[in-house]
């Protein structure tokens, strides 16, 4: 059902002892009985977490693992087989130790052509505790890539929005990795299918009564930002606002930028060109060319030093939206690239503006922490 994404070797590196894959969460299938018994031993002590093997000392006594949970930051743990002790090395986000996390549930919905689309909903802690899981304000949050996928692992963006009282839907649309070549190629060969799968997820939320249809926004990072802007251009009536962080806005520019690098022709062909019929199709699926169709408020954020999706995607889109008289909130981030690996205060400031943008357009939620 799933693609292998990790090969586990014995401590001496001489044999393969297991293979990693991602279902709803990261898992390992061990071929070595001793290795399997060890991980089961560790897992019994790390209740509530999925244990992911990292490394081991040559004598097999000390094992380093990552403990993963959908609603808590990842932990680094060290297991001593002689003493049977499991010690925490540290947390990925130690400052969130006392924060009440939101509830994450794996889901699936049926796309318009019958394809099952897996995904996750994050429900605000207060809403879950009150048994209120319907008619919530929602954020639709397609992942980046699109050669990537979401899993039941702590997502600080989804948790942040849920802490403000908004439900969050993340989906592994066709084109996502991990579900086999056919599933991935469906998106590579037709970018519109990926957009349709996102839209069908929004419709599913509304049809099931989980989302208040008058309080839905869509946001994304990188490809997810592109998907959010395309949703606003083609189906703006479904959303109250749109947020694009480091998002692709012009596929023509993306292709040109790719071709500047070695093997860029091959990359652009396999990554973008194969997903469209011709140049007109590419143009009709570029948010920049559809800016006058976007009427809902837009949040744009981008690192000025981004070399994956160049900063001009931001500047040209900002100008086009202003020409179209679309309300736009712009955040330019200095000394930052595509992943926005920026100083803590800059990240906090951008996130505050993003949350403020959501609150301005969806209203403050009664389910905020």
């Amino acid at each position: 059902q799933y693609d292998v994404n990790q090969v586990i070797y014995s401590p001496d590196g001489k044999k393969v002892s297991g293979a990693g894959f991602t279902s709803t969460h990261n898992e390992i299938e061990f071929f070595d009985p001793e290795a399997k018994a060890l991980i089961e031993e560790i897992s019994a002590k790390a209740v509530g977490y999925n244990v992911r093997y990292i490394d081991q000392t040559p004598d097999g006594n000390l094992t380093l693992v990552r403990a993963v949970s959908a609603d808590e930051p990842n932990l680094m743990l060290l297991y001593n087989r002689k003493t049977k002790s499991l010690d925490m090395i540290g947390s990925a986000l130690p400052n969130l130790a006392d924060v009440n996390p939101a509830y994450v549930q794996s889901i699936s919905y049926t796309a318009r052509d019958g394809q099952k689309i897996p995904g996750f909903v994050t429900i605000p802690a207060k809403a879950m505790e009150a048994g209120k899981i319907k008619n919530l304000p929602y954020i639709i949050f397609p992942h980046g890539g699109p050669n990537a996928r979401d899993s039941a692992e702590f997502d600080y963006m989804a948790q942040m929005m849920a802490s403000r009282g908004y439900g969050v839907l993340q989906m592994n649309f066709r084109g996502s990795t991990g579900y086999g070549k056919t599933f991935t190629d469906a998106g590579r060969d037709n970018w519109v299918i990926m957009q349709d799968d996102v839209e069908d997820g929004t419709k599913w939320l509304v049809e099931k009564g989980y989302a208040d249809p008058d309080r839905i926004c869509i946001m994304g990072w990188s490809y997810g930002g592109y998907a959010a802007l395309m949703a606003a251009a083609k189906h703006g009536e479904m959303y109250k606002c749109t947020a694009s962080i480091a998002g692709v806005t012009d596929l023509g520019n993306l292709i040109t930028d790719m071709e500047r690098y070695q093997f860029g022709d091959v990359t652009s062909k396999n990554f973008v060109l194969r997903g469209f019929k011709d140049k007109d199709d590419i143009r009709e699926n570029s948010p920049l060319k559809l800016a006058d169709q976007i009427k809902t408020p837009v949040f744009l954020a981008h690192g000025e030093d981004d070399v994956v999706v160049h900063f001009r995607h931001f500047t040209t889109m900002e100008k086009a939206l202003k020409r179209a008289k679309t309300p736009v909130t712009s955040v330019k981030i200095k000394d930052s690239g595509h992943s926005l690996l920026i100083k803590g205060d800059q990240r906090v400031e951008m996130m505050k503006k993003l949350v403020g943008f959501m609150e301005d357009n969806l209203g403050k939620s009664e389910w905020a922490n």
Side-chain angles (χ1 to χ4, degrees):
Q1 287 183 282
Y2 307 102
D3 295 325
V4 169
N5 58 21
Q6 182 187 16
V7 176
I8 308 298
Y9 295 92
S10 59
D12 60 11
K14 293 182 178 179
K15 65 177 181 179
V16 173
S17 58
F21 63 98
T22 304
S23 54
T24 57
H25 58 278
N26 293 316
E27 298 187 58
I28 296 175
E29 183 72 22
F30 281 100
F31 316 133
D32 184 320
E34 186 177 349
K36 183 176 182 179
L38 173 62
I39 291 298
E40 288 176 350
E41 201 173 295
I42 298 172
S43 296
K45 292 180 175 292
V47 179
Y49 289 89
N50 294 305
V51 172
R52 188 159 191 179
Y53 175 90
I54 296 177
D55 207 351
Q56 192 176 57
T57 54
D59 62 6
N61 182 43
L62 299 178
T63 304
L64 189 66
V65 297
R66 187 160 61 106
V68 176
S69 170
D71 51 16
E72 291 186 41
N74 294 346
L75 303 178
M76 191 77 76
L77 306 175
L78 185 66
Y79 183 64
N80 188 312
R81 200 165 194 179
K82 289 181 179 178
T83 63
K84 306 296 183 184
S85 62
L86 183 63
D87 299 317
M88 187 170 81
I89 303 298
S91 168
L93 297 168
N95 292 338
L96 296 184
D98 298 324
V99 173
N100 192 18
Y103 177 80
V104 181
Q105 174 67 50
S106 62
I107 57 93
S108 70
Y109 58 88
T110 303
R112 64 194 66 183
D113 61 358
Q115 174 68 50
K116 289 288 185 181
I117 305 298
F120 303 89
V121 290
T122 303
I123 301 171
K126 282 189 176 181
M128 196 66 194
E129 290 163 2
K132 173 72 175 180
I133 64 170
K134 292 202 169 185
N135 206 41
L136 296 175
Y138 252 88
I139 310 292
I140 310 302
F141 187 21
H143 64 70
N147 257 12
R149 60 158 296 171
D150 284 317
S151 63
E153 189 167 329
F154 188 85
D155 187 310
Y156 78 89
M157 290 281 284
Q159 288 283 335
M160 178 187 69
M161 288 300 173
S163 77
R164 298 300 85 215
Y166 306 122
V168 180
L169 171 65
Q170 296 168 275
M171 70 289 288
N172 287 322
F173 44 80
R174 276 168 284 188
S176 302
T177 55
Y179 298 98
K181 188 174 186 298
T182 299
F183 191 90
T184 301
D185 282 352
R188 293 285 72 72
D189 294 336
N190 187 344
W191 276 44
V192 175
I193 280 182
M194 297 192 286
Q195 298 166 30
D196 289 346
D197 287 350
V198 172
E199 180 189 341
D200 290 343
T202 306
K203 289 180 176 178
W204 172 80
L205 278 178
V206 173
E207 289 167 1
K208 290 292 185 181
Y210 297 134
D212 178 347
D214 296 321
R215 300 178 72 190
I216 301 176
C217 279
I218 183 167
M219 74 174 187
W221 199 306
S222 192
Y223 170 81
Y226 164 85
L229 290 169
M230 286 301 299
K234 292 190 172 183
H235 304 285
E237 73 282 355
M238 298 175 65
Y239 306 101
K240 289 297 179 184
C241 60
T242 303
S244 172
I245 304 168
V248 173
T249 65
D250 188 341
L251 294 174
N253 280 342
L254 183 66
I255 292 167
T256 299
D257 293 340
M258 285 180 172
E259 290 176 347
R260 292 177 179 174
Y261 296 93
Q262 190 174 21
F263 309 119
D265 289 349
V266 175
T267 302
S268 65
K269 180 179 179 180
N270 289 330
F271 185 72
V272 182
L273 291 171
R274 65 183 279 196
F276 299 96
K277 297 174 185 175
D278 49 37
K279 289 184 179 179
D280 288 339
D281 196 23
I282 289 174
R283 181 182 178 85
E284 290 169 10
N285 283 279
S286 290
L288 181 65
K289 311 304 181 185
L290 305 176
D292 59 349
Q293 296 180 30
I294 299 176
K295 304 303 179 185
T296 57
V298 175
F299 178 95
L300 292 177
H302 215 111
E304 293 184 355
D305 297 334
D306 193 337
V307 295
V308 177
V309 179
H310 292 194
F311 187 60
R312 63 174 171 162
H313 284 262
F314 169 91
T315 56
T316 54
M317 192 69 196
E318 181 188 38
K319 290 177 183 177
L321 289 171
K322 287 182 176 180
R323 281 197 302 270
K325 301 190 184 307
T326 300
V328 57
T329 300
S330 305
V331 181
K332 303 175 184 178
I333 306 166
K334 293 183 178 180
D335 303 319
S336 181
H338 191 61
S339 299
L340 300 190
L341 297 176
I342 52 182
K343 296 177 182 177
D345 55 348
Q346 289 178 302
R347 183 183 288 271
V348 169
E349 188 60 29
M350 189 201 77
M351 295 303 174
K352 282 183 177 179
K353 290 179 180 178
L354 178 60
V355 169
F357 173 80
M358 294 298 179
E359 291 178 340
D360 287 344
N361 290 282
L362 293 181
K364 292 187 176 182
S365 172
E366 62 271 38
W367 304 110
N369 288 348

